[in-house]
Amino acid sequence: MPATPQSPRAALVTLGCARNEVDSEELAGRLTEDGWELVDPDGGADVVVINTCGFVAAAKKDSIDTLLAAADTGAKVVAVGCLAERYGTELARSLPEADAVLGFDAYPELGGRLREVLAGRAVPTHQPVDRRTLLPITPASRPAALAAGPALPGHGWGPRVPRRRLDDSPVAPLKIASGCDRRCAFCAIPAFRGAFVSRPVEDVVAEATWLAGSGVRELVLVSENSTSYGKDLGRPGALEELLRRLSVIAGILRIRVSYLQPAETRPALVTTIAATVGVANYFDLSFQHASEPVLRRMRRFGSRESFLALLDQIRQQSPAAGVRSNVIVGFPGETGADVAELERFLTEARLDAIGVFGYSDEDGTEAAGLPGQHDEDTIAERVSRISLLAEQLTAARAEERVGETVDVLVESVAAPDADPEEAETIGRGEHQAPEVDGECRFTGSGTQPFAIGDVVRCRAIAAQGVDLIVEPMELIAPAGGVP
């Protein structure tokens, strides 16, 4: 149903990770089909829909602050997303400024729910449920359970889920699965995202083809755990197959895989990423720590030695591969020796990017009840200590890349009337994921005739922190062109 001058107007605000970005674009597609006009948050919306994040304390606060700010605009405010799914009635009770709090199950009928809100009628508040109970625990029995009923609520796809892009970036996230079957002691995500469910390969390829037709050059594959892709389909090598299928789609120049579990990163997957043209030589490995005792308490696998062996395997096949990871410090029971083991690992690992997080209790997780809890000052001191080391190590790794040839996807260019002395063209190389891993900044940007979406072969001539200063050599794939 097309929008008309009398159509209700909705704005979408997305917080959190790339998975939420996909959810918002699916919601945008649903609303557009239902006759809603989508506007900017400051564009006179009748309803502002906040797609919240509920992962850690800082993200929860950001979500609540955003909801409160939206309420000040005079528009109706509706909370969806992870915070709404996770806390539902509690969030509605503590935040009366929100006109409705809706869970994942409301997504297929979102347009109707928003009309109810506009009409001043009460909309039932989401009642949280442990989503791990909605599917069989055994992955092998999951396909039959899914086939026997409707599309699983909240997992974001079914026979047809529309998607409408909310920007014109040459980069787009592409969700390949939802949920998680792992039971990491610190993580609440499986409880509100549910069991792991892979999207069929054909569905992912079809959406990727559509994204290519809208001008996307780089796909970022996202899920809660990409190395589990295909296990619930009875196809443990499905991720490798998917990467090969995506790599031949016309217009797509780079496929990047996010959220790899080190213990599940198979040799065949390493080879596929390293050797498949069009797949970024980039490994987003979720190490979380390197001390074996801490990892066991986290209910994870691995050690400093096994992680270094995996990195050695990667670099034997792709010496210039980019590698990023996240680590948690201050986990219950973590000792000074454990922190030293983590420092030793990071120093030896030569990672391009490192996210450092301080442990915080999450409701309903095993870790919240573990002995050996650290006070806030101890955690803050360890975060500061590891963050400083990470900053030094990643800057040194960027320095190692000076002299390398880097194929850069241009993501921003100077405005036509910008001062040439201050104008910059900025993009990313294969070893840099969007927003989190640094960027490539062109020399002489004000005089370079590049466009957003161009891929330019460059030489790295200097490093500034994790960023590279690059000198353009040749345009190898113009925006809008099919290689």
Side-chain angles (χ1 to χ4, degrees), residues 137-155:
I137 293 175
T138 306
S141 61
R142 201 164 293 157
L146 287 168
L152 186 67
H155 277 70

Side-chain angles (χ1 to χ4, degrees), residues 15 52-53 59-69 83 91 94-95:
L15 305 173
T52 61
C53 179
K60 296 174 195 173
K61 182 181 184 303
D62 188 29
S63 293
I64 291 171
D65 289 346
T66 303
L67 286 161
L68 292 172
L83 190 70
L91 179 63
S94 61
L95 199 69

Side-chain angles (χ1 to χ4, degrees), residues 24 64 96 101 127 143 158 160 201 210 217 250 279 284 300 303 312 323 345 361 367 388 395 422 435 449 451:
S24 286
I64 291 171
V101 175
Q127 305 291 320
R160 178 174 177 271
V201 170
W210 173 78
R217 319 300 309 276
V279 176
D284 177 11
R300 295 178 66 84
S303 64
D312 184 59
V323 186
F345 166 70
D361 283 339
L388 178 59
E422 299 179 0
E435 299 181 5

